[in-house]
Amino acid sequence: MGKVLKRLFAVIVILLLLAAGGAWWLLSYIAPDEELDLSYQNINIREKATDMIKQLKPELILTEADVNNLIKKNLDPNVSEHVVVEGALFDLEGDRLIANMNVKYRDRVPLAIRAEYRLEWQDPNLALRPQSLSIKGIDLPLDMLETIIVDLDLPTGDLVKVKEVRFEGNTVRVEFNLSLPF
């Protein structure tokens, strides 16, 4: 009987070690590969648009860096009760935005998340509609994401109206109609 208990104990210890090793491997697999942060430079869209008006060139070009800074500025890091965004990097690919984010789940588990959004113009804001969500290639339910609205704070009014917004490569081009009073 003693031999059976020793073998059973050994099997239980081995199973526990395998489970602990599997958990460690999973946590290291889903952990972020690169350090990201939420720091941004303040982009004054009104100033850019005012310069555009002064030059009588009715278009405003937002680079990938500008869009990255604007989204980080408008991003609420507390996504949900248990998920906090610790860092992000956004890449523009035409009318798609790829978001690589480092999040922490329940203040313990670091995750590298990749989300894809479709860019849309909703006058006077930029809307990011979720298309996919994954952790290291493992798809997650899309209902975990919400549409993000980015306020561009464009100087529109009686004199300036947005004519068209185009998503080209890694830029966003905003074309205006100018109604000069003379």
PDB file of all heavy atoms in Angstrom, residues 4-38:
ATOM      1  N   VAL A   4       2.038   2.278  -3.519  1.00  0.00           N
ATOM      2  CA  VAL A   4       0.972   2.884  -4.323  1.00  0.00           C
ATOM      3  C   VAL A   4       0.811   4.364  -3.945  1.00  0.00           C
ATOM      4  O   VAL A   4       0.681   5.222  -4.814  1.00  0.00           O
ATOM      5  CB  VAL A   4      -0.362   2.111  -4.127  1.00  0.00           C
ATOM      6  CG1 VAL A   4      -1.507   2.837  -4.789  1.00  0.00           C
ATOM      7  CG2 VAL A   4      -0.231   0.707  -4.671  1.00  0.00           C
ATOM      8  N   LEU A   5       0.843   4.665  -2.642  1.00  0.00           N
ATOM      9  CA  LEU A   5       0.714   6.058  -2.195  1.00  0.00           C
ATOM     10  C   LEU A   5       1.904   6.896  -2.657  1.00  0.00           C
ATOM     11  O   LEU A   5       1.740   8.051  -3.052  1.00  0.00           O
ATOM     12  CB  LEU A   5       0.586   6.124  -0.672  1.00  0.00           C
ATOM     13  CG  LEU A   5      -0.778   5.724  -0.105  1.00  0.00           C
ATOM     14  CD1 LEU A   5      -0.748   5.751   1.407  1.00  0.00           C
ATOM     15  CD2 LEU A   5      -1.866   6.609  -0.638  1.00  0.00           C
ATOM     16  N   LYS A   6       3.125   6.308  -2.617  1.00  0.00           N
ATOM     17  CA  LYS A   6       4.310   7.023  -3.074  1.00  0.00           C
ATOM     18  C   LYS A   6       4.218   7.322  -4.567  1.00  0.00           C
ATOM     19  O   LYS A   6       4.537   8.420  -5.012  1.00  0.00           O
ATOM     20  CB  LYS A   6       5.580   6.216  -2.783  1.00  0.00           C
ATOM     21  CG  LYS A   6       5.996   6.248  -1.332  1.00  0.00           C
ATOM     22  CD  LYS A   6       7.285   5.474  -1.141  1.00  0.00           C
ATOM     23  CE  LYS A   6       7.663   5.458   0.326  1.00  0.00           C
ATOM     24  NZ  LYS A   6       8.889   4.704   0.560  1.00  0.00           N
ATOM     25  N   ARG A   7       3.767   6.348  -5.351  1.00  0.00           N
ATOM     26  CA  ARG A   7       3.613   6.545  -6.797  1.00  0.00           C
ATOM     27  C   ARG A   7       2.518   7.567  -7.094  1.00  0.00           C
ATOM     28  O   ARG A   7       2.674   8.420  -7.975  1.00  0.00           O
ATOM     29  CB  ARG A   7       3.308   5.227  -7.493  1.00  0.00           C
ATOM     30  CG  ARG A   7       4.520   4.345  -7.580  1.00  0.00           C
ATOM     31  CD  ARG A   7       4.241   3.116  -8.387  1.00  0.00           C
ATOM     32  NE  ARG A   7       5.434   2.280  -8.418  1.00  0.00           N
ATOM     33  CZ  ARG A   7       5.458   1.049  -8.818  1.00  0.00           C
ATOM     34  NH1 ARG A   7       4.328   0.471  -9.214  1.00  0.00           N
ATOM     35  NH2 ARG A   7       6.568   0.361  -8.825  1.00  0.00           N
ATOM     36  N   LEU A   8       1.400   7.504  -6.384  1.00  0.00           N
ATOM     37  CA  LEU A   8       0.307   8.449  -6.559  1.00  0.00           C
ATOM     38  C   LEU A   8       0.786   9.859  -6.222  1.00  0.00           C
ATOM     39  O   LEU A   8       0.513  10.821  -6.946  1.00  0.00           O
ATOM     40  CB  LEU A   8      -0.892   8.063  -5.684  1.00  0.00           C
ATOM     41  CG  LEU A   8      -2.118   8.967  -5.780  1.00  0.00           C
ATOM     42  CD1 LEU A   8      -2.672   8.973  -7.194  1.00  0.00           C
ATOM     43  CD2 LEU A   8      -3.182   8.514  -4.804  1.00  0.00           C
ATOM     44  N   PHE A   9       1.525   9.984  -5.128  1.00  0.00           N
ATOM     45  CA  PHE A   9       2.083  11.270  -4.731  1.00  0.00           C
ATOM     46  C   PHE A   9       3.042  11.792  -5.806  1.00  0.00           C
ATOM     47  O   PHE A   9       3.005  12.969  -6.157  1.00  0.00           O
ATOM     48  CB  PHE A   9       2.792  11.147  -3.371  1.00  0.00           C
ATOM     49  CG  PHE A   9       3.382  12.436  -2.899  1.00  0.00           C
ATOM     50  CD1 PHE A   9       2.557  13.463  -2.438  1.00  0.00           C
ATOM     51  CD2 PHE A   9       4.756  12.641  -2.925  1.00  0.00           C
ATOM     52  CE1 PHE A   9       3.107  14.658  -2.010  1.00  0.00           C
ATOM     53  CE2 PHE A   9       5.298  13.838  -2.514  1.00  0.00           C
ATOM     54  CZ  PHE A   9       4.483  14.853  -2.042  1.00  0.00           C
ATOM     55  N   ALA A  10       3.882  10.923  -6.336  1.00  0.00           N
ATOM     56  CA  ALA A  10       4.830  11.309  -7.386  1.00  0.00           C
ATOM     57  C   ALA A  10       4.087  11.758  -8.640  1.00  0.00           C
ATOM     58  O   ALA A  10       4.464  12.764  -9.271  1.00  0.00           O
ATOM     59  CB  ALA A  10       5.772  10.149  -7.700  1.00  0.00           C
ATOM     60  N   VAL A  11       3.018  11.051  -9.020  1.00  0.00           N
ATOM     61  CA  VAL A  11       2.228  11.429 -10.197  1.00  0.00           C
ATOM     62  C   VAL A  11       1.577  12.792  -9.982  1.00  0.00           C
ATOM     63  O   VAL A  11       1.579  13.644 -10.872  1.00  0.00           O
ATOM     64  CB  VAL A  11       1.175  10.334 -10.511  1.00  0.00           C
ATOM     65  CG1 VAL A  11       0.153  10.831 -11.517  1.00  0.00           C
ATOM     66  CG2 VAL A  11       1.861   9.075 -11.033  1.00  0.00           C
ATOM     67  N   ILE A  12       1.035  13.017  -8.784  1.00  0.00           N
ATOM     68  CA  ILE A  12       0.398  14.308  -8.482  1.00  0.00           C
ATOM     69  C   ILE A  12       1.423  15.439  -8.537  1.00  0.00           C
ATOM     70  O   ILE A  12       1.160  16.500  -9.115  1.00  0.00           O
ATOM     71  CB  ILE A  12      -0.314  14.247  -7.108  1.00  0.00           C
ATOM     72  CG1 ILE A  12      -1.543  13.336  -7.215  1.00  0.00           C
ATOM     73  CG2 ILE A  12      -0.722  15.639  -6.635  1.00  0.00           C
ATOM     74  CD1 ILE A  12      -2.231  13.052  -5.895  1.00  0.00           C
ATOM     75  N   VAL A  13       2.607  15.225  -7.985  1.00  0.00           N
ATOM     76  CA  VAL A  13       3.652  16.245  -8.019  1.00  0.00           C
ATOM     77  C   VAL A  13       4.066  16.531  -9.458  1.00  0.00           C
ATOM     78  O   VAL A  13       4.227  17.689  -9.861  1.00  0.00           O
ATOM     79  CB  VAL A  13       4.867  15.813  -7.156  1.00  0.00           C
ATOM     80  CG1 VAL A  13       6.079  16.703  -7.407  1.00  0.00           C
ATOM     81  CG2 VAL A  13       4.495  15.818  -5.682  1.00  0.00           C
ATOM     82  N   ILE A  14       4.226  15.495 -10.263  1.00  0.00           N
ATOM     83  CA  ILE A  14       4.609  15.676 -11.669  1.00  0.00           C
ATOM     84  C   ILE A  14       3.518  16.440 -12.422  1.00  0.00           C
ATOM     85  O   ILE A  14       3.812  17.352 -13.194  1.00  0.00           O
ATOM     86  CB  ILE A  14       4.917  14.317 -12.336  1.00  0.00           C
ATOM     87  CG1 ILE A  14       6.226  13.759 -11.776  1.00  0.00           C
ATOM     88  CG2 ILE A  14       4.992  14.451 -13.849  1.00  0.00           C
ATOM     89  CD1 ILE A  14       6.533  12.340 -12.202  1.00  0.00           C
ATOM     90  N   LEU A  15       2.243  16.113 -12.198  1.00  0.00           N
ATOM     91  CA  LEU A  15       1.141  16.820 -12.846  1.00  0.00           C
ATOM     92  C   LEU A  15       1.092  18.290 -12.425  1.00  0.00           C
ATOM     93  O   LEU A  15       0.857  19.173 -13.257  1.00  0.00           O
ATOM     94  CB  LEU A  15      -0.191  16.133 -12.557  1.00  0.00           C
ATOM     95  CG  LEU A  15      -0.412  14.783 -13.242  1.00  0.00           C
ATOM     96  CD1 LEU A  15      -1.720  14.155 -12.785  1.00  0.00           C
ATOM     97  CD2 LEU A  15      -0.397  14.935 -14.751  1.00  0.00           C
ATOM     98  N   LEU A  16       1.339  18.556 -11.159  1.00  0.00           N
ATOM     99  CA  LEU A  16       1.375  19.941 -10.684  1.00  0.00           C
ATOM    100  C   LEU A  16       2.524  20.719 -11.314  1.00  0.00           C
ATOM    101  O   LEU A  16       2.368  21.880 -11.710  1.00  0.00           O
ATOM    102  CB  LEU A  16       1.477  19.986  -9.157  1.00  0.00           C
ATOM    103  CG  LEU A  16       0.203  19.628  -8.383  1.00  0.00           C
ATOM    104  CD1 LEU A  16       0.491  19.576  -6.888  1.00  0.00           C
ATOM    105  CD2 LEU A  16      -0.904  20.608  -8.688  1.00  0.00           C
ATOM    106  N   LEU A  17       3.684  20.075 -11.438  1.00  0.00           N
ATOM    107  CA  LEU A  17       4.823  20.724 -12.084  1.00  0.00           C
ATOM    108  C   LEU A  17       4.548  21.001 -13.560  1.00  0.00           C
ATOM    109  O   LEU A  17       4.895  22.072 -14.075  1.00  0.00           O
ATOM    110  CB  LEU A  17       6.085  19.876 -11.928  1.00  0.00           C
ATOM    111  CG  LEU A  17       6.703  19.846 -10.529  1.00  0.00           C
ATOM    112  CD1 LEU A  17       7.849  18.836 -10.481  1.00  0.00           C
ATOM    113  CD2 LEU A  17       7.185  21.225 -10.128  1.00  0.00           C
ATOM    114  N   LEU A  18       3.906  20.054 -14.236  1.00  0.00           N
ATOM    115  CA  LEU A  18       3.537  20.262 -15.646  1.00  0.00           C
ATOM    116  C   LEU A  18       2.529  21.398 -15.790  1.00  0.00           C
ATOM    117  O   LEU A  18       2.643  22.224 -16.699  1.00  0.00           O
ATOM    118  CB  LEU A  18       2.985  18.970 -16.251  1.00  0.00           C
ATOM    119  CG  LEU A  18       4.004  17.877 -16.549  1.00  0.00           C
ATOM    120  CD1 LEU A  18       3.295  16.600 -17.001  1.00  0.00           C
ATOM    121  CD2 LEU A  18       4.979  18.340 -17.616  1.00  0.00           C
ATOM    122  N   ALA A  19       1.546  21.446 -14.893  1.00  0.00           N
ATOM    123  CA  ALA A  19       0.549  22.522 -14.937  1.00  0.00           C
ATOM    124  C   ALA A  19       1.214  23.875 -14.674  1.00  0.00           C
ATOM    125  O   ALA A  19       0.917  24.868 -15.359  1.00  0.00           O
ATOM    126  CB  ALA A  19      -0.560  22.261 -13.926  1.00  0.00           C
ATOM    127  N   ALA A  20       2.108  23.940 -13.701  1.00  0.00           N
ATOM    128  CA  ALA A  20       2.811  25.189 -13.401  1.00  0.00           C
ATOM    129  C   ALA A  20       3.691  25.601 -14.579  1.00  0.00           C
ATOM    130  O   ALA A  20       3.736  26.780 -14.952  1.00  0.00           O
ATOM    131  CB  ALA A  20       3.651  25.035 -12.136  1.00  0.00           C
ATOM    132  N   GLY A  21       4.370  24.658 -15.195  1.00  0.00           N
ATOM    133  CA  GLY A  21       5.196  24.952 -16.366  1.00  0.00           C
ATOM    134  C   GLY A  21       4.346  25.436 -17.530  1.00  0.00           C
ATOM    135  O   GLY A  21       4.720  26.371 -18.239  1.00  0.00           O
ATOM    136  N   GLY A  22       3.193  24.825 -17.737  1.00  0.00           N
ATOM    137  CA  GLY A  22       2.282  25.251 -18.804  1.00  0.00           C
ATOM    138  C   GLY A  22       1.755  26.662 -18.562  1.00  0.00           C
ATOM    139  O   GLY A  22       1.673  27.476 -19.481  1.00  0.00           O
ATOM    140  N   ALA A  23       1.406  26.956 -17.315  1.00  0.00           N
ATOM    141  CA  ALA A  23       0.925  28.296 -16.966  1.00  0.00           C
ATOM    142  C   ALA A  23       2.033  29.325 -17.174  1.00  0.00           C
ATOM    143  O   ALA A  23       1.793  30.415 -17.715  1.00  0.00           O
ATOM    144  CB  ALA A  23       0.416  28.328 -15.531  1.00  0.00           C
ATOM    145  N   TRP A  24       3.265  29.001 -16.752  1.00  0.00           N
ATOM    146  CA  TRP A  24       4.383  29.913 -16.947  1.00  0.00           C
ATOM    147  C   TRP A  24       4.624  30.162 -18.437  1.00  0.00           C
ATOM    148  O   TRP A  24       4.837  31.288 -18.868  1.00  0.00           O
ATOM    149  CB  TRP A  24       5.644  29.340 -16.296  1.00  0.00           C
ATOM    150  CG  TRP A  24       6.852  30.168 -16.579  1.00  0.00           C
ATOM    151  CD1 TRP A  24       7.237  31.313 -15.965  1.00  0.00           C
ATOM    152  CD2 TRP A  24       7.817  29.930 -17.604  1.00  0.00           C
ATOM    153  NE1 TRP A  24       8.379  31.804 -16.526  1.00  0.00           N
ATOM    154  CE2 TRP A  24       8.763  30.969 -17.546  1.00  0.00           C
ATOM    155  CE3 TRP A  24       7.970  28.932 -18.572  1.00  0.00           C
ATOM    156  CZ2 TRP A  24       9.836  31.039 -18.415  1.00  0.00           C
ATOM    157  CZ3 TRP A  24       9.048  29.009 -19.433  1.00  0.00           C
ATOM    158  CH2 TRP A  24       9.970  30.049 -19.343  1.00  0.00           C
ATOM    159  N   TRP A  25       4.574  29.098 -19.245  1.00  0.00           N
ATOM    160  CA  TRP A  25       4.788  29.240 -20.682  1.00  0.00           C
ATOM    161  C   TRP A  25       3.695  30.122 -21.287  1.00  0.00           C
ATOM    162  O   TRP A  25       3.983  31.008 -22.097  1.00  0.00           O
ATOM    163  CB  TRP A  25       4.782  27.867 -21.370  1.00  0.00           C
ATOM    164  CG  TRP A  25       4.835  28.021 -22.861  1.00  0.00           C
ATOM    165  CD1 TRP A  25       5.942  28.205 -23.629  1.00  0.00           C
ATOM    166  CD2 TRP A  25       3.720  28.042 -23.758  1.00  0.00           C
ATOM    167  NE1 TRP A  25       5.589  28.339 -24.946  1.00  0.00           N
ATOM    168  CE2 TRP A  25       4.222  28.245 -25.053  1.00  0.00           C
ATOM    169  CE3 TRP A  25       2.342  27.918 -23.594  1.00  0.00           C
ATOM    170  CZ2 TRP A  25       3.406  28.330 -26.167  1.00  0.00           C
ATOM    171  CZ3 TRP A  25       1.530  28.004 -24.708  1.00  0.00           C
ATOM    172  CH2 TRP A  25       2.052  28.194 -25.977  1.00  0.00           C
ATOM    173  N   LEU A  26       2.425  29.901 -20.916  1.00  0.00           N
ATOM    174  CA  LEU A  26       1.322  30.694 -21.451  1.00  0.00           C
ATOM    175  C   LEU A  26       1.488  32.168 -21.095  1.00  0.00           C
ATOM    176  O   LEU A  26       1.330  33.039 -21.953  1.00  0.00           O
ATOM    177  CB  LEU A  26      -0.022  30.178 -20.928  1.00  0.00           C
ATOM    178  CG  LEU A  26      -1.250  30.948 -21.409  1.00  0.00           C
ATOM    179  CD1 LEU A  26      -1.399  30.827 -22.915  1.00  0.00           C
ATOM    180  CD2 LEU A  26      -2.500  30.454 -20.699  1.00  0.00           C
ATOM    181  N   LEU A  27       1.826  32.462 -19.847  1.00  0.00           N
ATOM    182  CA  LEU A  27       2.009  33.852 -19.436  1.00  0.00           C
ATOM    183  C   LEU A  27       3.179  34.508 -20.168  1.00  0.00           C
ATOM    184  O   LEU A  27       3.112  35.675 -20.549  1.00  0.00           O
ATOM    185  CB  LEU A  27       2.210  33.946 -17.927  1.00  0.00           C
ATOM    186  CG  LEU A  27       0.969  33.662 -17.079  1.00  0.00           C
ATOM    187  CD1 LEU A  27       1.324  33.647 -15.607  1.00  0.00           C
ATOM    188  CD2 LEU A  27      -0.131  34.661 -17.369  1.00  0.00           C
ATOM    189  N   SER A  28       4.243  33.777 -20.385  1.00  0.00           N
ATOM    190  CA  SER A  28       5.375  34.355 -21.123  1.00  0.00           C
ATOM    191  C   SER A  28       5.042  34.497 -22.612  1.00  0.00           C
ATOM    192  O   SER A  28       5.543  35.407 -23.269  1.00  0.00           O
ATOM    193  CB  SER A  28       6.640  33.529 -20.924  1.00  0.00           C
ATOM    194  OG  SER A  28       6.498  32.240 -21.479  1.00  0.00           O
ATOM    195  N   TYR A  29       4.187  33.652 -23.139  1.00  0.00           N
ATOM    196  CA  TYR A  29       3.799  33.726 -24.551  1.00  0.00           C
ATOM    197  C   TYR A  29       2.938  34.954 -24.823  1.00  0.00           C
ATOM    198  O   TYR A  29       3.135  35.647 -25.820  1.00  0.00           O
ATOM    199  CB  TYR A  29       3.056  32.450 -24.965  1.00  0.00           C
ATOM    200  CG  TYR A  29       2.561  32.479 -26.388  1.00  0.00           C
ATOM    201  CD1 TYR A  29       3.454  32.337 -27.445  1.00  0.00           C
ATOM    202  CD2 TYR A  29       1.220  32.659 -26.684  1.00  0.00           C
ATOM    203  CE1 TYR A  29       3.021  32.371 -28.759  1.00  0.00           C
ATOM    204  CE2 TYR A  29       0.768  32.697 -27.985  1.00  0.00           C
ATOM    205  CZ  TYR A  29       1.668  32.549 -29.027  1.00  0.00           C
ATOM    206  OH  TYR A  29       1.227  32.597 -30.319  1.00  0.00           O
ATOM    207  N   ILE A  30       1.978  35.241 -23.946  1.00  0.00           N
ATOM    208  CA  ILE A  30       1.047  36.348 -24.181  1.00  0.00           C
ATOM    209  C   ILE A  30       1.592  37.697 -23.698  1.00  0.00           C
ATOM    210  O   ILE A  30       0.988  38.728 -23.951  1.00  0.00           O
ATOM    211  CB  ILE A  30      -0.331  36.085 -23.534  1.00  0.00           C
ATOM    212  CG1 ILE A  30      -0.214  35.936 -22.026  1.00  0.00           C
ATOM    213  CG2 ILE A  30      -1.002  34.886 -24.173  1.00  0.00           C
ATOM    214  CD1 ILE A  30      -1.536  35.784 -21.306  1.00  0.00           C
ATOM    215  N   ALA A  31       2.730  37.701 -23.024  1.00  0.00           N
ATOM    216  CA  ALA A  31       3.320  38.955 -22.522  1.00  0.00           C
ATOM    217  C   ALA A  31       3.816  39.802 -23.700  1.00  0.00           C
ATOM    218  O   ALA A  31       4.203  39.273 -24.750  1.00  0.00           O
ATOM    219  CB  ALA A  31       4.466  38.642 -21.575  1.00  0.00           C
ATOM    220  N   PRO A  32       3.821  41.117 -23.537  1.00  0.00           N
ATOM    221  CA  PRO A  32       4.301  42.005 -24.608  1.00  0.00           C
ATOM    222  C   PRO A  32       5.773  41.761 -24.947  1.00  0.00           C
ATOM    223  O   PRO A  32       6.578  41.475 -24.068  1.00  0.00           O
ATOM    224  CB  PRO A  32       4.116  43.404 -24.007  1.00  0.00           C
ATOM    225  CG  PRO A  32       3.120  43.243 -22.922  1.00  0.00           C
ATOM    226  CD  PRO A  32       3.293  41.850 -22.398  1.00  0.00           C
ATOM    227  N   ASP A  33       6.094  41.880 -26.236  1.00  0.00           N
ATOM    228  CA  ASP A  33       7.464  41.716 -26.703  1.00  0.00           C
ATOM    229  C   ASP A  33       8.260  43.016 -26.645  1.00  0.00           C
ATOM    230  O   ASP A  33       9.472  43.005 -26.531  1.00  0.00           O
ATOM    231  CB  ASP A  33       7.482  41.207 -28.148  1.00  0.00           C
ATOM    232  CG  ASP A  33       6.932  39.800 -28.261  1.00  0.00           C
ATOM    233  OD1 ASP A  33       7.049  39.036 -27.286  1.00  0.00           O
ATOM    234  OD2 ASP A  33       6.370  39.469 -29.323  1.00  0.00           O
ATOM    235  N   GLU A  34       7.556  44.148 -26.787  1.00  0.00           N
ATOM    236  CA  GLU A  34       8.243  45.434 -26.781  1.00  0.00           C
ATOM    237  C   GLU A  34       7.584  46.385 -25.789  1.00  0.00           C
ATOM    238  O   GLU A  34       6.401  46.273 -25.496  1.00  0.00           O
ATOM    239  CB  GLU A  34       8.265  46.056 -28.178  1.00  0.00           C
ATOM    240  CG  GLU A  34       6.895  46.361 -28.742  1.00  0.00           C
ATOM    241  CD  GLU A  34       6.956  46.940 -30.137  1.00  0.00           C
ATOM    242  OE1 GLU A  34       7.662  47.946 -30.333  1.00  0.00           O
ATOM    243  OE2 GLU A  34       6.296  46.384 -31.017  1.00  0.00           O
ATOM    244  N   GLU A  35       8.385  47.299 -25.300  1.00  0.00           N
ATOM    245  CA  GLU A  35       7.921  48.301 -24.333  1.00  0.00           C
ATOM    246  C   GLU A  35       7.207  49.424 -25.082  1.00  0.00           C
ATOM    247  O   GLU A  35       7.787  50.036 -25.975  1.00  0.00           O
ATOM    248  CB  GLU A  35       9.125  48.848 -23.578  1.00  0.00           C
ATOM    249  CG  GLU A  35       8.786  49.795 -22.480  1.00  0.00           C
ATOM    250  CD  GLU A  35       8.581  49.101 -21.153  1.00  0.00           C
ATOM    251  OE1 GLU A  35       8.994  47.942 -21.012  1.00  0.00           O
ATOM    252  OE2 GLU A  35       8.002  49.727 -20.278  1.00  0.00           O
ATOM    253  N   LEU A  36       5.960  49.677 -24.753  1.00  0.00           N
ATOM    254  CA  LEU A  36       5.187  50.771 -25.336  1.00  0.00           C
ATOM    255  C   LEU A  36       4.715  51.675 -24.214  1.00  0.00           C
ATOM    256  O   LEU A  36       4.583  51.245 -23.074  1.00  0.00           O
ATOM    257  CB  LEU A  36       3.969  50.227 -26.097  1.00  0.00           C
ATOM    258  CG  LEU A  36       4.242  49.283 -27.254  1.00  0.00           C
ATOM    259  CD1 LEU A  36       2.943  48.752 -27.831  1.00  0.00           C
ATOM    260  CD2 LEU A  36       5.045  49.968 -28.341  1.00  0.00           C
ATOM    261  N   ASP A  37       4.459  52.944 -24.554  1.00  0.00           N
ATOM    262  CA  ASP A  37       3.930  53.854 -23.553  1.00  0.00           C
ATOM    263  C   ASP A  37       2.793  54.675 -24.148  1.00  0.00           C
ATOM    264  O   ASP A  37       2.462  54.537 -25.317  1.00  0.00           O
ATOM    265  CB  ASP A  37       5.018  54.757 -22.979  1.00  0.00           C
ATOM    266  CG  ASP A  37       5.669  55.641 -24.029  1.00  0.00           C
ATOM    267  OD1 ASP A  37       5.021  55.961 -25.037  1.00  0.00           O
ATOM    268  OD2 ASP A  37       6.831  56.007 -23.839  1.00  0.00           O
ATOM    269  N   LEU A  38       2.204  55.523 -23.329  1.00  0.00           N
ATOM    270  CA  LEU A  38       1.093  56.357 -23.779  1.00  0.00           C
ATOM    271  C   LEU A  38       1.504  57.820 -23.901  1.00  0.00           C
ATOM    272  O   LEU A  38       0.650  58.697 -23.972  1.00  0.00           O
ATOM    273  CB  LEU A  38      -0.089  56.232 -22.810  1.00  0.00           C
ATOM    274  CG  LEU A  38      -0.801  54.884 -22.822  1.00  0.00           C
ATOM    275  CD1 LEU A  38      -1.896  54.845 -21.776  1.00  0.00           C
ATOM    276  CD2 LEU A  38      -1.366  54.574 -24.193  1.00  0.00           C
TER     277      LEU A  38
END
